[in-house]
């Protein structure tokens, strides 16, 4: 015999994992503290490959952590702070119970606090790492900044969140890095490209929250604690990268302007400063004031052949980007009081436009409604009484659609009282075979039209004509023409769709065409393929079937959408005719 | 009466004067009627003037009650009347605190009044002694009280009627300030001061004009340090010497600090909310081992359907909406219902916003993360690259002939070795001989019972077929046109040989056919103990093997030698239910397929040489490659297994081309083709090259799916066989047809 008997579960994966309760005991923490620690340190459970082995033969559902992770937590200084805090609470309770107020005072003065700086540094070793993970932080801070200052969380947290988000928005404006905006039913999505990272965040609409009861706000508060720290450091670094003063200060010129107007409204200047910043109407002070923005220029390298073409393409792209950044430059906007001021001011300023609003809406308005140089007034009401003749009265969607299309869209679709064209998500990138809504095609056509100037201006004119006609609905002939045009458009669409689906068409038997050599060949090929499929291995066959099923489902969905659209358009047309 | 005056003046009066017995009660009871107040007050004036005794009496009362406070109130109360009239009186009032003085003052006052107001005789003192009672008690009496002598004071005669009153009103300029004194019942004219007082009281002001209600209050104990101490007590000794108790306490504290029991107050750490360039120094801090770290997946970006104003096709139809509501929240493809708003101002708050954020939080810290390898392959790449079927020609591609005539299933078909004729046998009890090229049935042999198996003798020198009918095996000669004369005679010679020795021995009975049967061509009948399911010829054409599937017996396979009319049972043990048997085309091997395995016996050595284990559950048929090294076997679980005898006892390849049970498999004698027939009604022809190089594996490529047979009663193609020389394939089906594919 000889040798030691091997015991079960003492080696292998069973020793690599630890259950949550055991981990908690090892760290000597209560469950809420353990939870908080996990949140702050970014530790999450792992799903072992062989659950039963890890669970020592039992199949009970358990949460497992990697033992290494828990060992790593053991050395965290914050754990000590948690324990200190626990003791503090106990002492405080005792002092209260004994009615020893001096002790209470003393204890409160010595309340243990902790900082998260080192955790941020550890979790995000480089700045880019931090930027990559800032999405959630932004979403959370924007949400918390809209909370009412009662209950649910500390007022300081709310104020801090507000401050940080305002700083962030000011940075985005200053760096002009906003790329896409999307008005969804949940809120407004923004996407910015900061140092090559695409950052998306969601801002809720400005309403008071109906706080749900089944949400644990402690968890959210812990996350917010971490995220505010992270966002603060990121903001600092970003401001530094643009040579802006941190904490942000308004440009001395614009500051004096604003000060003139609203001196008397606020008791304390410190109080009004955040308000002024959050107005987003003034530019920020720079450390080095005289620096003009340098145009980023590509260095010229001696290149040949394909590289040349690539370079040219890249240059072109860069140029376009630069152009998109100055989309609203030279335009002057005025916001009516019913439109979401902060969002619009943010977007317009991010693209170089000037923006103002009524003095009573918010601090920081720079010009009045009566200003003659205003080019666009953004209105979201059925009618406006005294209109100025030299400006457009448009609905807010125009601004967002322009940003997403990267061109100034014709304003006719967005006039007051006009039925708006659908607002499309800029985040959807249609691949081949996907359904593309016709509005998107229209926009794409318009974008391309801008590149080659000659024909497309005419097209645009036609488009605008069309729309004008739509509005008028007086002349029957014109109507018919328009209908024809629509049909043409539809045909084009169908063609495009069929092109997109050409792969799938190949598989299914084609149309009735007798004695067509091409078709025969195709059939032969199809049969060949079928026979080859028969020879596939079982595993591969399964995978292949799965892929094909997914593809077919996609096609089915696209077809369904197309059919729905067609039915809708038909119904609209019928309605129009009936009205005539 | 002054007391009453003071009480009505304001709420200031001292409680004593009011709650006194007798006099104190009266004004309170009178209070309810506002009219009576001034009246009473005014009445007091003249009454005082008229009879001093009552006044003194009253003052007695007040004196009894409370000297200090009452006198004060009296003084102030009488002030308005007297103060303005003459200063000397005022002075006397202030200094005097005796009731008598007040009396005199009032008397004087009244006397003054008398001079120009009272026209009646002033001398008679009609002081009423009833005291301070409500005068309505006397309403029903002719008198109003009693004078000092105890005589009734009669009410004044009411001689004035309405007219007189009216006249008075018209003529008397003082009528508006004439009131009736209820105590005496006389009319009294109010003085200027009294009217002024009434007016002030009506306005709610203090009766005293000189009274300042907003006098600054004087703080006696203020925060100002006064020159003079409040108390003049000399300070204690203990205030000059250091306290021992304090010393003790201090020393305790010092000790505690020294020992570290008390920590000095912490300096405020305000660095919490201060940000700096965290990533300034490039050197990394303590970094976790991130090999197992999985970064959190990002939230998917919103699509068109989440827009506040989506294109109409993204909105849900009512049916879709109903389905959506029926589904569990986990199963839903969209977590929300797409909605359309005509303008931005109509968009409401999203109710589940906080929920969604919270769920994201939960995902971040509670969800186990796992790296899922997503296969991102082009499905075209998965399809194996096979040689094109066109390059593997010839093989049968089209159906060129259908042989009609059989009613019911055609169980078995077999071509003649020369390839001109085809033999078929079916459930209708007939074996038919067909000309392959024309599709004509040249001969039909009727037997009693279904033909399970019909096989043409592979020997070119013989013209003979074997049929399995019930428990008999029949040897039949095909029509004479089917063979050369030499062959026919050779066959005749073989069949007519008399070999007695073998006849009538063992379980098998050989007999020559006679009469009618002989006319049909049936020559020899071999009677078996059990129904025969399959017969097969040895390639030399002398031996024929018959299968009688039976679980219990070892007598399942019999091999008959035609030339010697001898039968033998090769196996002494039961190896399982025998499905099919085959002779090896070259070597003296015999293959026997039971349900799960194929055994190969060496007939010379009389031993088992190999046992092939397929994955099949129930083998239906086997076929041997003419080269002799490869075996295919079809099974009822849709598989076709290719065994390479040199390689292994496991299948080299398993093909699952058919969707239903495989009934029959066949190899072509010369071309590298094999076919399988199945219940799904199709015949699949595959190319199967076997290379002479032993290192090279056989190449198996399906080249054609032949369809034509109609599936009847869940049975499709029952038998398949190749033409001996051409790349043609015959198939027979449950629909009663035989088809030729070329």
């Amino acid at each position: 015999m000889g040798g030691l008997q091997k015991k079960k579960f003492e080696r292998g994966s069973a020793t690599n994992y630890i259950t949550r309760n055991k981990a908690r005991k090892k760290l000597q923490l209560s469950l809420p503290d353990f939870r908080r620690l996990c949140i702050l340190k970014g530790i999450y459970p792992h799903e072992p490959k062989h659950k039963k082995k890890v669970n020592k033969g039992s199949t009970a559902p358990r949460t497992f952590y990697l033992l290494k992770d828990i060992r790593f937590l053991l050395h965290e200084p914050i754990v000590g702070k948690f324990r200190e805090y626990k003791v503090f609470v106990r002492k405080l309770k005792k002092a209260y119970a004994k009615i020893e107020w001096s002790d209470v005072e003393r204890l409160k003065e010595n309340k243990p606090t902790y900082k998260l700086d080192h955790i941020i540094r550890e979790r995000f070793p480089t700045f880019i790492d931090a930027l990559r993970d800032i999405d959630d932080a932004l979403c959370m801070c924007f949400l918390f900044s809209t909370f009412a200052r009662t209950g649910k969380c500390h007022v300081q947290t709310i104020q801090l969140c507000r401050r940080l988000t305002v700083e962030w928005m000011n940075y985005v404006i200053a760096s002009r890095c906003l790329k896409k905006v999307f008005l969804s039913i949940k809120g407004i999505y923004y996407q910015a490209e900061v140092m090559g990272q695409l950052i998306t965040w969601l801002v809720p609409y400005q309403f008071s929250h109906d706080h749900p009861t089944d949400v644990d706000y402690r968890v959210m508060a812990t996350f917010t604690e971490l995220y505010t720290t992270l966002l603060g450091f990121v903001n600092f670094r970003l401001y530094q990268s643009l040579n802006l003063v941190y904490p942000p200060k308004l440009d001395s010129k614009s500051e004096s302007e604003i000060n003139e107007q609203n001196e008397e409204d606020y008791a304390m200047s410190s109080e009004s400063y955040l308000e002024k910043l959050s107005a987003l109407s003034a530019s920020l002070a720079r450390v080095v004031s005289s620096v003009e923005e340098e145009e980023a220029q590509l260095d010229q390298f001696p290149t040949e052949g394909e590289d040349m073409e690539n370079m040219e393409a890249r240059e072109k792209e860069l140029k376009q980007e630069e152009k998109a950044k100055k989309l609203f430059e030279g335009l002057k906007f005025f916001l009516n009081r019913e439109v979401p001021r902060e969002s619009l001011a943010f977007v317009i300023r991010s693209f170089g436009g000037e923006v103002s609003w009524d003095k009573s809406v918010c601090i920081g308005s720079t010009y009045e409604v009566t200003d003659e140089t205003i080019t666009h007034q953004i209105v979201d009401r059925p009618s406006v009484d005294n209109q100025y003749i030299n400006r457009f009265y448009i609905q807010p969607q125009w601004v967002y659609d322009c940003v997403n299309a990267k061109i100034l869209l014709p304003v006719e679709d967005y006039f007051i009282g006009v039925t708006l064209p659908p607002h499309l998500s800029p985040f959807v990138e249609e691949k081949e075979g996907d359904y593309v809504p016709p509005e998107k095609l229209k926009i794409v056509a318009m974008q391309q039209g801008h590149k080659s100037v000659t024909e497309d201006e005419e097209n645009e004119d036609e488009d605008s004509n069309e729309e004008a006609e739509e509005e008028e609905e007086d002349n029957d002939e014109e109507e018919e023409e328009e209908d024809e045009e629509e049909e043409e458009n539809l045909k084009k669409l169908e063609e495009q769709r069929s092109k997109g689906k050409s792969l799938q068409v190949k598989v299914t038997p084609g149309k009735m065409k007798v004695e067509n050599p091409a078709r025969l060949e195709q059939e032969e090929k199809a049969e060949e393929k079928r026979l080859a499929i028969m020879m596939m291995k079982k595993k591969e066959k399964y995978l292949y079937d799965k892929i094909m099923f997914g593809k077919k489902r996609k096609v089915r969905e696209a077809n369904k959408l197309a059919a729905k659209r067609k039915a809708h358009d038909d119904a609209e047309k019928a309605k129009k005719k009936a009205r005539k | 009466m002054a007391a009453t005056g003071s009480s009505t003046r304001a709420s200031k009066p001292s409680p004593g004067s009011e709650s006194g017995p007798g006099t104190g009660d009266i004004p309170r009871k009178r209070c309810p009627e506002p009219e009576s107040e001034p009246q009473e007050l005014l009445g007091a004036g003249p009454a005082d003037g008229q009879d001093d005794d009552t006044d003194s009496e009253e003052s007695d009362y007040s004196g009894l009650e409370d000297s200090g406070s009452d006198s004060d109130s009296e003084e102030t109360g009488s002030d308005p009347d007297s103060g303005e009239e003459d200063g000397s009186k005022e002075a006397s009032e202030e200094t005097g605190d005796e009731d008598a003085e007040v009396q005199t003052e009032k008397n004087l006052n009244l006397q003054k009044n008398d001079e120009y107001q009272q026209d009646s005789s002033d001398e008679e003192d009609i002081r009423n002694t009833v005291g301070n009672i409500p005068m309505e008690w006397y309403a029903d009496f002719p008198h109003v009280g009693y004078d000092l002598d105890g005589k009734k004071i009669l009410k004044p005669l009411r001689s004035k009627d309405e007219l007189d009153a009216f006249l008075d009103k018209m003529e008397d300029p003082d009528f508006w300030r004439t009131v009736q004194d209820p105590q005496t019942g006389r009319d009294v004219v109010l003085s200027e001061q009294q009217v002024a007082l009434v007016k002030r009281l009506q306005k709610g002001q203090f009766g005293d004009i000189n009274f300042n209600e907003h006098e600054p209050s004087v703080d006696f104990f203020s925060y100002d340090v006064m020159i003079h101490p409040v108390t003049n007590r000399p300070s204690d000794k203990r205030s000059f010497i250091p306290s021992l108790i304090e010393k003790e306490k201090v020393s305790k504290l010092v000790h505690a600090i020294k020992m570290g029991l008390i920590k000095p107050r912490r300096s405020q750490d305000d660095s919490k909310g201060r940000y700096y360039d965290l990533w300034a120094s490039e050197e990394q801090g303590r970094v976790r081992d991130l090999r197992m770290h999985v970064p959190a997946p990002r939230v998917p970006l919103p699509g068109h359907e989440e827009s506040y104003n989506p294109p109409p096709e993204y909105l849900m139809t009512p049916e879709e909406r109903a389905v959506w509501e029926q589904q569990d929240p986990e199963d839903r493809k969209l977590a929300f219902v797409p909605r359309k708003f005509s303008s931005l101002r109509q968009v409401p708050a999203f109710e589940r916003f906080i929920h969604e954020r919270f769920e994201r939080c939960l995902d971040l810290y509670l969800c186990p993360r796992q790296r899922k390898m997503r296969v991102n392959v082009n499905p075209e790449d998965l399809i194996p690259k096979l040689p094109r079927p066109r390059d593997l020609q010839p093989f049968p591609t089209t159906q060129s002939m259908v042989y009609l005539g059989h009613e019911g299933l055609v169980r078995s078909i077999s071509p003649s070795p020369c390839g001109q004729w085809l033999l078929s046998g079916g459930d209708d009890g007939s074996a038919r001989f067909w000309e392959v090229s024309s599709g004509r049935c040249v001969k039909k042999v009727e037997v009693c019972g279904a033909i399970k198996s019909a096989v043409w003798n592979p020997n070119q020198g013989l013209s003979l077929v074997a049929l399995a009918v019930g428990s008999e095996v029949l040897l039949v000669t095909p029509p004479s046109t089917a063979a050369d004369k030499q062959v026919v005679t050779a066959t005749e010679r073989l069949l007519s040989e008399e070999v007695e020795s073998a006849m009538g021995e063992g379980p098998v009975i050989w007999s020559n056919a006679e009469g009618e049967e002989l006319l049909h061509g049936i020559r020899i009948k071999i009677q078996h103990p059990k129904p025969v399911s399959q017969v097969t010829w040895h390639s030399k054409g002398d031996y024929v093997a018959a299968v009688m599937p039976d679980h219990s017996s070892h007598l399942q396979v019999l091999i008959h030698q035609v030339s010697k009319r001898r039968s033998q049972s090769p196996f002494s043990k039961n190896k399982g239910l025998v499905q099919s048997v085959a002779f090896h085309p070259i070597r003296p091997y015999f293959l026997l397929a039971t349900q799960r395995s194929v055994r190969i016996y060496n007939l010379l050595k009389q031993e088992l040489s190999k046992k092939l284990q397929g994955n099949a559950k129930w083998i239906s048929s086997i076929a041997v490659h003419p080269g002799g090294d490869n075996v295919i076997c079809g099974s009822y679980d849709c598989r076709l297994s290719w065994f390479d005898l040199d390689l292994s006892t496991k299948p080299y390849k398993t093909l699952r081309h058919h969707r239903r049970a495989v009934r029959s498999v066949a190899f072509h004698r010369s071309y590298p083709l094999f076919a399988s027939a199945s219940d799904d009604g199709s015949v699949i022809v595959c190319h199967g090259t076997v290379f002479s190089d032993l290192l090279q594996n056989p190449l198996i490529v399906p080249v054609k799916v032949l369809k034509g047979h109609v599936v009847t009663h869940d049975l499709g193609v029952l038998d398949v066989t190749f033409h001996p020389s051409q790349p043609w394939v015959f198939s027979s089906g449950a629909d009663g047809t035989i088809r030729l594919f070329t």
Side-chain angles (χ1 to χ4, degrees), chain A residues 44 72 109 115 117 124 132 136 185 189 214 240 380 397 423 425 435 524 535 557 564-565, chain B residues 265 271 276-277 279 288 294 298 302 304 306-309 313 315 320 333 345 355 360 390:
Chain A
Y44 49 86
F72 171 72
E109 257 172 29
K115 291 205 292 184
D117 304 8
F124 310 102
R132 216 174 280 151
D136 286 316
I185 52 175
Y189 286 90
D214 53 344
Q240 214 184 28
D380 197 4
Q397 195 189 319
H423 180 62
S425 166
Y435 174 74
E524 204 177 304
M535 279 305 283
E557 272 164 14
K564 245 172 147 183
R565 176 63 183 229
Chain B
R265 182 171 295 169
S271 62
Y276 52 91
D277 193 354
W279 294 277
R288 258 171 77 198
V294 183
R298 297 197 169 196
H304 296 313
E306 207 181 310
S307 167
Y308 87 102
N309 182 14
E313 61 267 33
L315 296 172
E320 283 171 335
K333 214 170 169 202
R345 68 170 186 279
H355 270 118
R360 169 74 179 164
R390 201 188 293 166

Side-chain angles (χ1 to χ4, degrees), chain B residues 284-299:
Chain B
Q284 312 234 324
R286 215 152 47 86
V287 177
R288 258 171 77 198
D289 177 15
L290 292 176
R291 264 173 302 174
M292 294 285 275
H293 182 72
V294 183
R298 297 197 169 196
V299 182

